[in-house]
Amino acid sequence: MGAGMVSYRPGRNGFATGGDMGREQTEVLFSEETIRVRVGELARQISSDYSRYGEILLVGILRGCYIFLADLSRRLTIPGRIDFVALSSYESGTAAERPVRLVMDLRTDIAGKHVLIVEDIVDTGATLDFLLPVLRRRKPASLKTCAFLRKPSRLLKELTVDYVGFDIPDVWVVGYGLDYMGRYRALSDIGIIATPPAAR
Ligand code: 5GP
Ligand code: MG
């Protein structure tokens, strides 16, 4: 592996290299430090915007959000609660033919609450386009969206994301919660995978 490549050292990246792990080469797109700085900026912005509301309810979309949500929530300076939904995503078929389904609902009644949806990455926008009306029907006091990454060139829907960490080109990214066939979620950096998934 040359400079700028991710090295899969045990400990630092959570899971040790073993078996066929680490065969797909990844190139670092955002380093741990770059991510840390940007998450801090997002947390400051969100804390300032929500300071007059009293309490925020972060709704994470599993599974990709888990690291971003953990980092973001710990750097907010406003009171808040956390809940999760799980949606079917790239399980089968291409983005166009794959209907989004709610596979795990919230436990919280969001009526009257200030809800911020936290997503790892907005790609075609199908996930948020599905979830927003579902949650809006439950009458939250406000409903906004935050995505750590967004691929503007892939967007199929007219969609406003209120808080975005970084806009990226049409590449498959892994690490910081994001996977490639279930792997690499625990990488500390965000990397571009050389062999993107076929089913898109
Ligand atoms: P959308 O519904 O916007 O097309 O896709 C959103 C979901 O697709 C994301 O929450 C994420 O789970 C998955 N996704 C899209 N692009 C990528 C990517 O580059 N890497 C990974 N690991 N997941 C992605
Ligand atoms: Mg996701």
Side-chain angles (χ1 to χ4, degrees), residues 143-191:
L143 182 60
K144 285 189 172 186
T145 48
C146 173
F148 192 59
L149 302 175
R150 178 175 63 181
K151 296 179 190 170
S153 68
R154 295 261 307 162
L155 210 59
L156 295 174
K157 315 272 181 180
E158 177 109 12
L159 189 74
T160 307
V161 185
D162 299 286
Y163 304 95
V164 178
F166 297 102
D167 278 325
I168 64 166
D170 182 13
V171 290
W172 194 261
V173 285
V174 295
Y176 203 61
L178 291 151
D179 75 312
Y180 170 62
M181 301 200 316
R183 302 198 304 232
Y184 306 125
R185 287 194 197 273
L187 281 176
S188 306
D189 305 310
I190 290 177

Side-chain angles (χ1 to χ4, degrees), residues 61-65 87 89 118-122 127 178 185:
I61 304 181
L62 292 173
R63 286 170 279 185
C65 76
L87 300 169
S89 58
V118 179
E119 195 25 333
D120 49 0
I121 181 164
V122 173
T127 301
L178 291 151
R185 287 194 197 273

Side-chain angles (χ1 to χ4, degrees), residues 19-52:
D20 63 354
M21 270 193 79
R23 242 184 3 207
E24 300 85 14
Q25 263 203 342
T26 65
E27 182 192 328
V28 176
L29 181 61
F30 300 116
S31 70
E32 197 173 349
E33 174 61 11
T34 303
I35 294 168
R36 198 188 63 74
V37 169
R38 188 67 187 123
V39 172
E41 288 170 356
L42 288 172
R44 266 194 300 282
Q45 182 68 53
I46 293 166
S47 298
S48 148
D49 292 354
Y50 283 78
S51 57
R52 63 197 148 106

Side-chain angles (χ1 to χ4, degrees), residues 78-122:
I78 48 171
R81 296 170 189 246
I82 297 177
D83 203 345
F84 295 95
V85 293
L87 300 169
S88 62
S89 58
Y90 285 75
E91 283 153 10
S92 63
T94 62
E97 70 200 16
R98 161 188 46 98
V100 182
R101 284 182 307 114
L102 193 61
V103 296
M104 189 192 88
D105 205 340
L106 295 167
R107 295 188 181 188
T108 315
D109 177 7
I110 64 168
K113 305 227 164 67
H114 292 282
V115 174
L116 180 65
I117 299 173
V118 179
E119 195 25 333
D120 49 0
I121 181 164
V122 173

